[in-house]
Amino acid sequence: MQKNQASDRLGRLLAAWQSEGGVGTFETLCQVAAPLIRQAAAKILRENGARSNELIDEVESLVRVHLWRSREKGRAKFDTVKGGKAYLTWLSRNRARDVLRRQRTHAPLPP
């Protein structure tokens, strides 16, 4: 699948999730978005010296929770068809930064 087609599909899935919901739509959205989420998270984590797949998994989980909760609260107010890929990249990067901050905050003190 070409990049534009994948981006368009992602935007359509986000729009469908926003307007209609449904567990099936959410699962499909997460499957299609996973590579983008993981790539964006890995880049931020790598740039900050973190190379753990567990941290990438944590970011992916946080993005999924955010998407689910924003639908429940009716907060998802963005143009998903035109900006779905950009939104998910932005969200993934921000969640990766959150994970890094949390990791630094809870890091053990040196002896």
Side-chain angles (χ1 to χ4, degrees), residues 6-14 29 32-33 36 84-85 88:
S7 182
D8 290 347
R9 181 172 186 217
L10 189 55
R12 287 192 303 275
L13 284 167
L14 270 167
L29 169 62
V32 171
L36 174 73
K85 182 179 176 184
L88 284 174

Side-chain angles (χ1 to χ4, degrees), residues 10-50:
L10 189 55
R12 287 192 303 275
L13 284 167
L14 270 167
W17 168 245
Q18 277 185 359
S19 63
E20 302 158 18
V23 174
T25 302
F26 183 73
E27 286 303 317
T28 303
L29 169 62
C30 290
Q31 287 175 354
V32 171
L36 174 73
I37 293 167
R38 296 181 71 79
Q39 181 181 19
K43 182 175 188 234
I44 294 297
L45 295 170
R46 256 192 332 268
E47 287 173 356
N48 289 277

